[in-house]
Every structure is written in structure tokens, then in C-alpha cells.
Amino acid sequence: MNDPQQTSITVEVVYRGIFQKTLAQRICRSIVLAARKRGHTGTAFARYGDSPERNGVPAKQFAVVAINDLELEASMAKYEPAVVDVSIAVDDTLVKGVESWAWYGRQPIWKPVRKDGFLLVTSTNTPDEVLAQTDTALRPYTLVIVPGGASFAGLWVFKDDHTDYRCLGALAKVLPDWVRLEDVKALIKEQTKDEGAVQSAQYGYDGATLRPVKAGEGTSGHEVLQFEKPGWTTMRPGIVVDARKPGERNPQYKKYGARTLRPVVNFDTCIKCTMCWLDCPDECFEVTPEGHYEVVYQACIGCGICAQVCPVKDCIVMVDELKFEDNEDKWQFWKKDHDGYNKWFEEKSGVSADPKVRTPAARQEGSGNANPSANPTSASGGDD
Ligand code: SF4
Ligand code: SF4
């Protein structure tokens, strides 16, 4: 599984901004500490361009492990690794592509993963379900599902749900020459004195599902958004910020890669109060000719504030991003096909479009809210 000639390996952890920063740090540091137990050397570091790490904006941290200091130094000559052996995505909605601060366009999640490398994704979905939302592969790699959902916490708090231990166990399964399971378990035992934590690493190892992905597999449904970076000779003089007319959006700046949940709107129950439009921090709402407010999904980061401030119960419902294939705005759909839209709303959200009909179980599922930025207490607005 591993190349015996290889003298160093690079692992990246792709995570959602401040909600998973501590988790990413713990994984990267533990990779290095576990590798040191078998005589390797290594270092863990963060990517400079992601310092803002706002809300759920994708960011990266790295662990580089080498057979000796010289090889480590050689690997570190690359300030930011462009090619990695393993990418660990600690939220499965990241497979829809990542676009971060200082990056250039939405990138496929597997972009830096070398040929025959590994993409580890924490998920409760099957490998094929995750692959169905992952960009078409240009080279073969192995998709590895690490059992468990996305773990979200905050900058100064850490949710100790053993996601890091499961990821380390799964990593030991795919890179046994670099990170051994016994070293991972010994490290966790030293750090926590908790047998349950040790068992979580074993669970990650045993429960990790490997799905070889051939070139051509995946979805071509995601928007291609790449940029040519100008060289020194082709740069325009000075800083030029193209002006936008009022109401016009920057076609080159998309924020949907930050989203784990998206708001869906029941236009039938909307009372046109303007609260969502006023409070959305990213100015995502457009007013329709009838005075409704529709979400511009290209711009929405999925923070959930609109659902919190909406005074009408279940008028805006936050729904798992993996349930959607596109970023099309939906008011035209509702306008042209009222019943079809309401059926779509119910299917996606698990909430009845008719406020007189309540489906408590389905509503709970549809409102499932893993993102602490999206409605900490409730996934939908209005009084209970
Ligand atoms: S979830 Fe709502 S408030 Fe947050 S960015 Fe999207 S539309 Fe705006
Ligand atoms: S907050 Fe809710 S009721 Fe008010 S305009 Fe927005 S969607 Fe309609």
C-alpha cells in the first residue's frame, strides 16, 4: 500500500474555519507524535492564507513526516504543499469543493491528492453517496470513509467526541509504514489515560471503509470555477477592484463552499417582514416582484441567521447541504410550478409546506443542525 522508496509523506486536514480548527490541530500534531514513536521525524503547521478562518470557511493544516531531518527539511522547502499523500476532510459536505480565503476558485476536494493517494472523509453516508457529490476524478485515488458525522465546536472550545482518534485510526490503516496503529493507541493512552479513547482509534481503523476511485468517477455537476493567476509581466498596474453596480454581485466570488446547511424558504408562509433580508450578514436575499425574499445560493454561507430571525415557524428551514445538487435560486421555480416547489420544499426539509400540517419526526430530521453557527438552539424560526 505504501511506497518503500518514499522518504516523506504529507497529510493535509481540510476543516471548516473556527469550528474545527482545534480538531485539525489535534489531528496534525498527533500524526507527528505517533510517527515519532517509530523513529520518524515531522512537523505540523497551518496554511498562512487561512488566518481569518471565518465561520465555516474551508481552511487547511498539514503534517509532514520524514525518515530523517534532512528529508523533512527538503519537504518543508515547499511552503505550502501542493501535492499530498492523504487529505482528511473532517466534514463530508467539503467534498462539494472548497474555496477559501486567498484561493482561486472552487477546488475539487481531491485536487492536491497524488495519484493513488487517499481521501479520508468523516461521514455517516456510504462511500458511493459521498462520491456522488465529489468532483469527477482526474486520477485514481482511494476514498476512505471514517465513521462518524462532522464534529463542530468553536475556537476556544473543543468537542471531545473522538473524531481525532477515529481519523488517526483510519490513517494508520492506509499509511501503516508511517503511522502505526499501536503507536497511535499508545500516544492516546499516554495523553488521555482513557481506554475509551484508545478504542475509538481502533474503531476508526476497523470501521474505515476503503473505496477505490477510478479516473472519471464522481460528479461533473459542480460549477467549474478556476482562474488564471497573472504573472509579474501580465499583472495590471496597481490594485484594480472592479466596480459593481448596485444590486449586481461579483460573478467571481462565490461563498457557497463555506456551507454545511442551506436555508430553504416556504414562500407560501412568508409574511414579507424583511427580517432575513436585513439580518443576513452576506446580503444574500433578493426581493422578488411580489415582495418575497429569495436566497441567492451562490452567495450564501449557510450561517443560519435568516432561519433564526424569521418570525414564521418553519418558513426558513436549514437543510443538510449534501441533499442539493445545484446552487440555483428557487423563487422562479415556486413561481412557475407552485405545487412542484412545495413538494421539493417538503422533500428537502422534511417539513410540511402547509403550516396546518405538522410532521414532528420529519421536521426534526429536516432541521438536523450540525453547524453551531446555524441556529444553535433551533433550525427554523418562529415561536414554538
Ligand atoms: S444562511 Fe441565511 S443569513 Fe446566512 S448567509 Fe445564507 S441566506 Fe444569509
Ligand atoms: S424573515 Fe421569514 S417571513 Fe420575513 S421576509 Fe424573510 S422569509 Fe419572509
Side-chain angles (χ1 to χ4, degrees), residues 198-211:
V198 175
Q199 283 313 309
S200 288
Q202 182 71 52
Y203 177 57
Y205 183 93
D206 295 335
T209 314
L210 275 59
R211 161 68 158 90

Side-chain angles (χ1 to χ4, degrees), residues 21 32 137 144 197 204 212 216 243 248 257 346 366:
K21 181 175 182 143
V32 173
V144 182
E248 189 183 70
E346 292 180 347

Side-chain angles (χ1 to χ4, degrees), residues 12 19 52 94 129 190 197 214 230 237 266 270 275 280 365 378:
E12 68 168 14
F19 305 133
L94 288 164
E129 284 169 340
E190 281 165 25
K214 296 192 212 97
N266 184 345
C270 170
M275 290 302 291
C280 170
E365 186 204 326
S378 162

Side-chain angles (χ1 to χ4, degrees), residues 322-338:
L322 273 192
K323 290 189 175 181
F324 302 90
E325 307 287 339
D326 62 43
N327 281 303
E328 299 305 312
D329 306 340
K330 289 289 180 278
W331 175 75
Q332 285 289 353
F333 178 13
W334 177 79
K335 188 81 184 142
K336 286 183 190 144
D337 180 5
H338 173 266

Side-chain angles (χ1 to χ4, degrees), residues 157-225:
V157 288
F158 175 63
K159 188 172 168 190
D160 192 10
D161 59 4
H162 297 189
T163 298
D164 45 347
Y165 307 141
R166 277 180 276 116
C167 287
L168 291 165
L171 187 68
K173 191 167 185 171
V174 301
L175 288 183
D177 294 342
W178 293 94
V179 180
R180 294 183 300 204
L181 182 62
E182 60 262 39
D183 293 334
V184 166
K185 288 163 81 171
L187 175 73
I188 295 170
K189 182 78 179 201
E190 281 165 25
Q191 289 178 335
T192 67
K193 316 270 185 284
D194 176 3
E195 195 51 41
V198 175
Q199 283 313 309
S200 288
Q202 182 71 52
Y203 177 57
Y205 183 93
D206 295 335
T209 314
L210 275 59
R211 161 68 158 90
V213 178
K214 296 192 212 97
E217 284 193 282
T219 178
S220 56
H222 298 321
E223 186 179 24
V224 177
L225 199 65

Side-chain angles (χ1 to χ4, degrees), residues 11 39 58 130 169-170 174 219 229 290 342 367:
V11 179
V130 172
V174 301
T219 178
K229 283 189 258 181
E290 286 98 344
N342 281 359
S367 306

